[in-house]
């Protein structure tokens, strides 16, 4: 079993839909939770990060962490065709260990 | 302000050849790292550096060398290329002590094919 599981999709939604992207994990020591967006043939781009539990909102994006269920989510409101990309979750523990554990990514297509 | 610049963007090597992938950043970030991205395997850390003169191994270091003589540059050397090293390589940076404690900036990648 991988430490981080992420449904690869593809996920296809109409423009304006609310998108929910999710990752589950098994290591209760994870404290930092990140979402990256990766356009085709480009490098990942850090979208959101949260420390420990709770919600964080940035414009149309909301990141949620439920540590009791070992489940994290990224919500995209009013999705746009420009949101079409692969979304990667990543996480790590506290302290000086910088090793990130990555999900494999969910491919999202927002159709006009 | 260019951010993280990787060169070359594409490269084809023959088995056994050596080459250096370049990574340069102009943000004065202390922390730099190299990843490879493969289908079904995701992003895997090859080597990282927490500052000039300091490097350490990541998850998949075999077959690769790094050095960090300046804050700006972090080259990745393939000593004797093998087909298993066919991949997309990304360089990433972040500022030490950054509260997010994660790779913040990635380069555009180098697509390497070893034949």
């Amino acid at each position: 079993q991988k430490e981080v599981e992420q449904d690869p999709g593809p996920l296809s939604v109409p423009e304006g839909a609310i998108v929910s992207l999710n990752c589950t994990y098994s290591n209760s020591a994870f404290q930092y939770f990140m979402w990256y967006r990766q356009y085709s043939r480009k490098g990942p781009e850090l979208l959101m990060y949260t420390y420990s539990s709770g919600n964080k909102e940035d414009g149309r994006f909301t990141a949620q962490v439920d540590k009791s269920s070992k489940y994290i989510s990224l919500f995209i409101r009013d999705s746009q065709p420009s949101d079409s990309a692969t979304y990667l979750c990543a996480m790590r523990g506290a302290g000086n260990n910088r090793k990130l554990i990555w999900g494999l990514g969910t491919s999202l297509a927002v159709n006009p | 302000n260019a951010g993280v610049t990787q060169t070359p963007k594409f490269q084809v090597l023959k088995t056994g050849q050596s080459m250096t992938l370049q990574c340069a950043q102009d943000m004065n970030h202390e922390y730099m790292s190299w990843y490879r991205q493969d289908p079904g395997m995701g992003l895997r850390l090859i080597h990282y550096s927490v500052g000039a003169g300091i490097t350490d191994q990541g998850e998949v270091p075999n077959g690769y060398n790094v050095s960090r003589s300046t804050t700006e540059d972090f080259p990745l050397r393939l000593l004797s290329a093998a087909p298993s090293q066919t991949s997309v390589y990304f360089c990433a940076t972040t500022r030490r002590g950054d509260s997010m404690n994660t790779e913040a900036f990635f380069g555009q990648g180098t697509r390497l094919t070893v034949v």
Side-chain angles (χ1 to χ4, degrees):
Chain A
Q1 183 189 2
K2 290 187 193 305
E3 281 191 277
V4 176
E5 300 276 3
Q6 187 174 9
D7 188 332
L11 186 60
S12 182
V13 301
E15 184 175 354
I18 297 174
V19 176
S20 173
L21 302 164
N22 311 296
C23 288
T24 59
Y25 63 94
S26 57
N27 190 340
S28 58
F30 289 149
Q31 294 284 347
Y32 294 89
F33 303 91
M34 280 67 70
W35 286 96
Y36 292 81
R37 177 175 62 196
Q38 186 174 23
Y39 291 114
S40 180
R41 296 184 170 265
K42 300 290 186 185
E45 169 192 7
L46 181 62
L47 267 181
M48 303 277 292
Y49 72 94
T50 49
Y51 173 70
S52 196
S53 285
N55 294 358
K56 189 170 185 178
E57 189 172 321
D58 184 1
R60 296 184 295 110
F61 298 90
T62 299
Q64 283 187 352
V65 176
D66 181 348
K67 292 190 74 178
S68 61
S69 301
K70 298 191 180 67
Y71 189 87
I72 68 170
S73 300
L74 177 71
F75 297 97
I76 307 174
R77 289 183 299 281
D78 188 24
S79 56
Q80 303 295 309
S82 58
D83 295 326
S84 299
T86 296
Y87 290 80
L88 303 162
C89 65
M91 49 197 80
R92 64 156 50 101
N96 292 326
N97 182 359
R98 295 196 62 96
K99 182 182 177 185
L100 270 178
I101 308 299
W102 294 84
L104 296 184
T106 298
S107 175
L108 171 67
V110 180
N111 305 304
Chain B
N1 189 341
V4 181
T5 302
Q6 288 185 238
T7 55
K9 288 187 170 53
F10 303 94
Q11 184 71 49
V12 178
L13 284 180
K14 293 184 179 176
T15 298
Q17 286 184 319
S18 63
M19 79 160 294
T20 299
L21 280 62
Q22 302 290 347
C23 176
Q25 54 108 352
D26 61 1
M27 298 173 285
N28 203 32
H29 284 174
E30 296 90 347
Y31 184 83
M32 297 185 74
S33 52
W34 276 103
Y35 284 86
R36 58 179 290 174
Q37 187 174 35
D38 303 286
M41 302 293 290
L43 280 153
R44 292 181 291 170
L45 181 65
I46 305 171
H47 284 285
Y48 65 95
S49 168
V50 298
I54 306 169
T55 64
D56 207 344
Q57 296 182 349
E59 187 182 351
V60 287
N62 291 343
Y64 307 96
N65 272 359
V66 292
S67 60
R68 184 94 180 270
S69 56
T70 67
T71 299
E72 293 78 21
D73 299 296
F74 189 42
L76 178 72
R77 280 181 285 278
L78 278 70
L79 308 172
S80 177
S84 61
Q85 293 178 304
T86 293
S87 186
V88 182
Y89 291 85
F90 290 104
C91 179
T93 78
T94 195
R95 196 172 51 240
R96 184 188 290 176
D98 198 309
S99 60
M100 69 179 78
N101 198 31
T102 189
E103 280 70 347
F105 300 94
F106 280 80
Q108 294 298 290
T110 295
R111 293 184 170 272
L112 175 68
T113 301
V114 182
V115 297

